[in-house]
Amino acid sequence: MSNNPFYKLSGFIQEWIFSHGWDELRDIQIEACRIIFETDKHMLLSTGTASGKTEAAFLPAITEIYENPPASIGILYIGPLKALINDQFQRLEELLDAADVPVWRWHGDVPRNLKQKMLKHPSGVLQITPESLESLLINKTVELRRIFGDLQFIVIDEVHVFMSSERGRQVQSQLERLGKYFMKEPRRIGLSATLGDYQLAEQWLQGATGIDVITPAARGLRNKRLKLAVEHFFHPNPNPTSFTEPARPSGGKFLPAHQYVYEQTLGTSSLIFTNRRDEAEFLVASLKEIARKQGTPDYYYVHHGAVSGELRESTESIIKDPNQPSVTAATLTLELGIDIGSLERIVQLHSPFSVSSFLQRLGRSGRRTGVSEMLFVHYEPEPSENKPIHELIPWQLLQSIAIIQLYLEERWIEPILPHEAPFSLLYHQTMSILASSGELSPAALAQRVLTLSPFKNISMADFKQLLKHLLEIDHLERMEDGGLILGIEGEKIVRNFRFYAVFQDSVEITVKDTTREIGRIAHLPNTGERIPLAGFVWEVTDVYPEQKAVLVEKVAGKMRYFWPGPGMDIHTKVLKRMRKILFEDTRYKYLQPGALKRIDQARKLARIVHVDKHVLFQLAGKKWCIMPWIGSIAYRTLQRLLDIMGKDSLGISRISGWAPYYLRFEADDQEPERLEPLVKALVMQANTPRELVDPDEQFLMNKYDKYLPKLLQQKVLAEDYLDLEELQQLAKDWK
């Protein structure tokens, strides 16, 4: 009996397990207990959603800090989303209530008085976002040893999200900066449901600690039953993605896809994932309108990053209630590990960007039943016979099928691509370290910054170039003794709360009614304008430019509003699988009648025009289209190559397209037999990505790129956003 890890857990945890009706610990929880209790290693837990990862991490770690209470915070939990932290907080608070072990939340929506309580008595578990951790590093420097000095565990949730983003490199930097305050190196526990490369994840989690990482065997979704369906509709509106799209097509009928979503989710607890905020708002407005006409209850909600924290938390509480139906349209904010036990169905509007995102969203359902259910809904304008080839391909439908098949056939998930030139983060951490430390000599600053693992590939020459530029633009100031401090302009940036985040945030205007904050929008509207937000339409009654706020009142109707933001890259393997689908005869079982008919049409067309033999198609006269079937990075490289190198040699101009599916352009040569090999030869002639960067070009992809010298901006573009080697390898297969 003593060998059973269950009996090594603290007594109050054993009682909590019994009170929740558990018959036994799950395999992943048993393995996690053994690793925590019997080794001193880091641990990476990568299993499917609802597999018990959170409990596997926390139950043994809490036992350790309960049996041997540390003199500071014992467990630091870092999560990517406020919603995830709020959810985990409720679960941990219930568990720890009887043990007198405090659990604290720390993010932008947590009241100041609760943060002050933690600062007075740092102990137990602290749950925090990277942005709030950055704030502590800058503003509470003298207290960091007291807060974290005896830290025992660092739990990093949704590791795959951090690994693939600037925030993940920020977290690596933060933990290494905190390292000088630790009495001993805390053990790290990483959690993820979707990892494609475990070795890379282990290296990321290990960081600069030198401690090995143990990863128990992963099971993913393999033990779950999957119920998938993909449907497609032709839209009667000639431009269904227009931001001025009417509420319904002519004749008073509702949009077929919206009507279908209404019918499929009626009376259920469902999540609808969209790829854009405006899609979520517009869909919910349509569902509310249909419900009013049908005389059914309105239980439709919106959840995305521009909705206020209060309303998001209210929606999360409603979603979790097993006694009432709810249908919520969401973006990435509900993709990650928030526990929604009663959720019955996931609906995906159009295709997700990746296999990883598909698995995360699929995993939201079936936590209690063991059946993960997901319905894909696609719609597009009905194509006319005179449309060009690239407009007759159902790109999004193909992408959904490709993503599903890549997982079902290969269990493949996108690998995490390294970033060689993280100069935006370099600026951020340089300014953060100076803000927290005060004056530093250039050598001391370089030693503190360049020894952080995200900057291992940054040369001293590049760092000196950055410092010189920051002195020129008054972000830094040189003292008489040669030391560096924040300059006047740098102080303005660092002392603004938005500095703590390394991701782009264009949402700045606060929207309020007479009682509360509704959310935020990107641009200051005029009085009388209408805004769709949080599932309703609001009319602006007052505008306060200096406060960056507007006052609104609720009105009837629905409309579109555009939130700016970058898209997400799609992997080349997805595009290759999409092309393969066109030349298969397989009738996938999950395809519903509309989707099956649309795929049959696309396959027939692809064979007629020989999409398997050509990538270049003549549209009319000098107008051409290239469908290269390559991922976003290679597509971006090709677009630049045609623009910069193709102008003089081939007379290429007027380039446009839909990334990464096709490019349109005009060219002098009007013979397909000549132009296609010439384009291929042009691709193979390029030597380095730097040839595809204009010497006068500014590249402003990341948040702090605008503060970099131009040469470093161009280096970011060439090294992290272009891949000439991949493009040339793929071009070898062009017929």
Side-chain angles (χ1 to χ4, degrees):
M1 180 178 292
S2 61
N3 291 328
N4 188 335
F6 172 82
Y7 295 101
K8 295 183 180 181
L9 296 171
S10 294
F12 77 93
I13 293 180
Q14 295 180 24
E15 292 177 10
W16 180 85
I17 289 173
F18 284 129
S19 70
H20 281 71
W22 293 17
D23 295 326
E24 58 185 0
L25 294 178
R26 298 183 181 183
D27 290 345
I28 190 67
Q29 294 160 352
I30 292 172
E31 289 302 311
C33 286
R34 286 177 174 154
I35 293 169
I36 295 299
F37 292 144
E38 299 174 11
T39 79
D40 57 359
K41 309 299 184 185
H42 297 323
M43 178 171 68
L44 176 64
L45 301 177
S46 180
T47 60
T49 304
S51 60
K53 288 189 303 296
T54 301
E55 290 78 10
F58 275 107
L59 297 186
I62 289 171
T63 293
E64 291 285 277
I65 69 166
Y66 180 76
E67 303 292 342
N68 300 285
S72 69
I73 292 292
I75 301 174
L76 175 65
Y77 167 95
I78 302 175
L81 295 176
K82 296 175 184 178
L84 186 55
I85 286 178
N86 294 339
D87 179 67
Q88 301 286 18
F89 176 79
Q90 293 174 359
R91 295 163 69 181
L92 286 176
E93 194 174 40
E94 178 195 0
L95 169 64
L96 296 175
D97 185 53
D100 197 29
V101 176
V103 54
W104 313 93
R105 286 184 300 171
W106 192 300
H107 57 64
D109 297 336
V110 175
R112 180 181 177 85
N113 66 306
L114 295 181
K115 295 178 179 178
Q116 291 300 320
K117 287 180 66 176
M118 190 284 291
L119 291 175
K120 288 181 180 179
H121 305 286
S123 58
V125 182
L126 174 62
Q127 299 176 293
I128 199 166
T129 59
E131 293 70 43
S132 291
L133 186 54
E134 194 73 49
S135 173
L136 285 177
L137 282 165
I138 293 174
N139 301 310
K140 303 296 179 183
T141 307
V142 297
E143 300 183 60
L144 290 176
R145 193 175 304 279
R146 186 173 62 86
I147 297 171
F148 296 113
D150 202 14
L151 187 67
Q152 302 297 303
F153 295 95
I154 299 171
V155 179
I156 305 176
D157 210 347
E158 307 294 353
V159 163
H160 66 284
V161 173
F162 285 124
M163 286 178 62
S164 61
S165 70
E166 192 89 329
R167 292 176 86 204
R169 291 179 283 278
Q170 179 187 21
V171 169
Q172 285 183 309
S173 298
Q174 291 170 338
L175 295 182
E176 291 175 29
R177 289 168 61 188
L178 278 176
K180 66 180 181 180
Y181 302 105
F182 299 148
M183 294 169 59
K184 66 174 184 178
E185 188 68 51
R187 298 173 67 183
R188 298 184 182 183
I189 303 174
L191 308 178
S192 178
T194 53
L195 282 175
D197 188 329
Y198 292 101
Q199 185 176 3
L200 192 63
E202 289 172 354
Q203 292 172 357
W204 185 90
L205 187 64
Q206 181 185 51
T209 65
I211 299 174
D212 291 339
V213 179
I214 299 176
T215 304
R219 300 195 177 208
L221 287 168
R222 297 181 190 188
N223 292 341
K224 268 192 176 183
R225 289 171 51 209
L226 305 183
K227 186 177 180 181
L228 303 174
V230 179
E231 186 55 295
H232 176 277
F233 296 90
F234 284 121
H235 206 297
N237 189 289
N239 189 11
T241 59
S242 167
F243 296 121
T244 58
E245 178 181 355
R248 63 186 71 167
S250 59
K253 295 181 180 180
F254 294 101
L255 306 180
H258 292 178
Q259 181 74 38
Y260 181 72
V261 171
Y262 167 80
E263 294 168 357
Q264 294 297 317
T265 59
L266 183 63
T268 69
S269 293
S270 298
L271 262 183
I272 305 171
F273 282 107
T274 68
N275 294 326
R276 300 197 313 259
R277 292 169 178 173
D278 64 279
E279 286 181 335
E281 293 283 356
F282 192 73
L283 175 62
V284 165
S286 294
L287 296 177
K288 286 175 175 286
E289 191 176 21
I290 296 171
R292 281 195 298 271
K293 185 170 183 179
Q294 297 295 329
T296 57
D298 181 351
Y299 38 66
Y300 301 98
Y301 307 93
V302 173
H303 193 291
H304 57 69
V307 176
S308 72
E310 178 186 351
L311 293 180
R312 287 200 307 268
E313 288 189 29
S314 173
T315 298
E316 290 160 22
S317 298
I318 292 169
I319 294 172
K320 293 177 184 179
D321 187 345
N323 299 315
Q324 63 173 319
S326 64
V327 178
T328 303
T331 55
L332 292 172
T333 53
L334 286 180
E335 182 176 299
L336 303 179
I338 178 172
D339 185 12
I340 312 172
S342 58
L343 197 64
E344 300 168 57
R345 177 171 295 173
I346 301 298
V347 178
Q348 171 68 48
L349 196 64
H350 302 302
S351 175
F353 291 103
S354 65
V355 177
S356 175
S357 183
F358 158 60
L359 294 178
Q360 285 289 151
R361 296 176 178 191
L362 177 64
R364 298 298 93 210
S365 70
R367 288 182 170 229
R368 300 294 181 263
T369 64
V371 180
S372 289
E373 184 174 341
M374 191 166 182
L375 169 64
F376 294 76
V377 179
H378 294 270
Y379 60 87
E380 61 176 318
E382 187 153 13
S384 59
E385 292 183 0
N386 60 350
K387 287 283 187 181
I389 173 63
H390 60 279
E391 294 184 20
L392 296 174
I393 300 291
W395 298 103
Q396 286 282 293
L397 178 59
L398 284 174
Q399 186 170 308
S400 286
I401 298 171
I403 283 171
I404 292 170
Q405 290 306 120
L406 283 171
Y407 180 71
L408 295 180
E409 295 165 352
E410 304 179 30
R411 293 297 191 264
W412 179 82
I413 301 173
E414 290 82 3
I416 305 298
L417 300 178
H419 278 239
E420 301 298 329
F423 288 112
S424 176
L425 182 66
L426 180 69
Y427 166 87
H428 180 268
Q429 289 297 290
T430 298
M431 301 295 282
S432 178
I433 287 171
L434 266 182
S436 63
S437 303
E439 182 180 346
L440 289 173
S441 69
L445 180 59
Q447 195 279 330
R448 292 201 189 185
V449 174
L450 296 185
T451 53
L452 299 175
S453 56
F455 309 127
K456 61 185 178 182
N457 294 323
I458 302 294
S459 69
M460 182 61 75
D462 283 342
F463 189 61
K464 287 181 178 179
Q465 185 182 163
L466 173 64
L467 295 184
K468 180 182 178 182
H469 180 71
L470 297 182
L471 285 166
E472 291 172 353
I473 63 175
D474 292 330
H475 284 215
L476 298 183
E477 181 180 343
R478 191 186 299 275
M479 306 300 288
E480 290 184 1
D481 61 0
L484 298 176
I485 62 171
L486 294 179
I488 294 175
E489 295 302 317
E491 284 278 1
K492 293 177 184 177
I493 293 166
V494 173
R495 301 309 172 190
N496 187 305
F497 75 94
R498 294 188 183 278
F499 172 76
Y500 306 137
V502 296
F503 56 84
Q504 295 277 17
D505 182 7
S506 60
V507 180
E508 296 182 348
I509 308 302
T510 302
V511 180
K512 300 179 179 179
D513 66 5
T514 55
T515 61
R516 61 184 175 178
E517 179 183 336
I518 307 302
R520 293 170 294 163
I521 57 176
H523 306 291
L524 191 70
N526 296 316
T527 302
E529 282 192 40
R530 294 188 173 188
I531 304 164
L533 187 59
F536 298 95
V537 175
W538 310 86
E539 185 170 295
V540 178
T541 58
D542 293 284
V543 178
Y544 304 97
E546 292 185 2
Q547 290 81 17
K548 293 186 177 180
V550 296
L551 194 64
V552 297
E553 60 181 21
K554 190 185 298 184
V555 295
K558 71 176 184 179
M559 59 175 294
R560 289 274 194 180
Y561 177 86
F562 177 65
W563 275 275
M568 298 179 68
D569 286 344
I570 303 171
H571 197 277
T572 288
K573 189 159 184 172
V574 175
L575 272 294
K576 284 188 170 184
R577 190 65 184 88
M578 289 166 62
R579 190 184 198 183
K580 184 179 178 182
I581 289 165
L582 289 174
F583 295 93
E584 294 174 336
D585 295 319
T586 307
R587 300 173 73 83
Y588 306 106
K589 293 181 179 180
Y590 49 77
L591 292 183
Q592 303 305 295
L596 189 58
K597 182 178 180 181
R598 185 69 179 99
I599 285 298
D600 286 343
Q601 291 173 344
R603 284 172 168 171
K604 182 178 179 180
L605 174 67
R607 287 170 169 84
I608 291 173
V609 299
H610 303 295
V611 171
D612 57 333
K613 296 180 180 178
H614 301 283
V615 296
L616 190 66
F617 299 89
Q618 190 169 22
L619 303 179
K622 293 185 176 183
K623 296 181 179 180
W624 297 84
C625 169
I626 185 168
M627 298 190 298
W629 305 97
I630 57 181
S632 299
I633 296 177
Y635 174 96
R636 198 156 47 231
T637 309
L638 175 62
Q639 184 175 18
R640 284 183 159 269
L641 189 146
L642 293 176
D643 184 36
I644 292 176
M645 300 180 65
K647 283 181 180 178
D648 295 333
S649 59
L650 300 177
I652 290 177
S653 63
R654 302 175 67 88
I655 300 174
S656 62
W658 184 10
Y661 310 119
Y662 59 80
L663 283 164
R664 294 183 299 251
F665 60 88
E666 293 185 8
D668 292 340
D669 200 310
Q670 298 183 32
E671 294 296 329
E673 294 78 8
R674 288 203 306 266
L675 187 57
E676 190 160 10
L678 287 174
V679 169
K680 180 177 179 179
L682 186 69
V683 170
M684 305 309 292
Q685 287 169 10
N687 294 312
T688 70
R690 294 304 293 264
E691 295 178 54
L692 309 182
V693 180
D694 190 300
D696 296 322
E697 181 173 1
Q698 276 192 306
F699 182 72
L700 306 177
M701 177 63 73
N702 303 298
K703 184 174 182 178
Y704 297 107
D705 286 346
K706 58 187 174 183
Y707 303 132
L708 302 177
K710 191 180 296 183
L711 287 177
L712 294 189
Q713 291 176 1
Q714 295 172 359
K715 199 166 188 177
V716 172
L717 170 59
E719 295 188 13
D720 286 343
Y721 289 89
L722 302 177
D723 192 336
L724 181 61
E725 183 178 350
E726 182 195 22
L727 175 62
Q728 290 176 333
Q729 189 64 37
L730 294 168
K732 291 178 181 178
D733 296 331
W734 293 353
K735 301 292 191 294

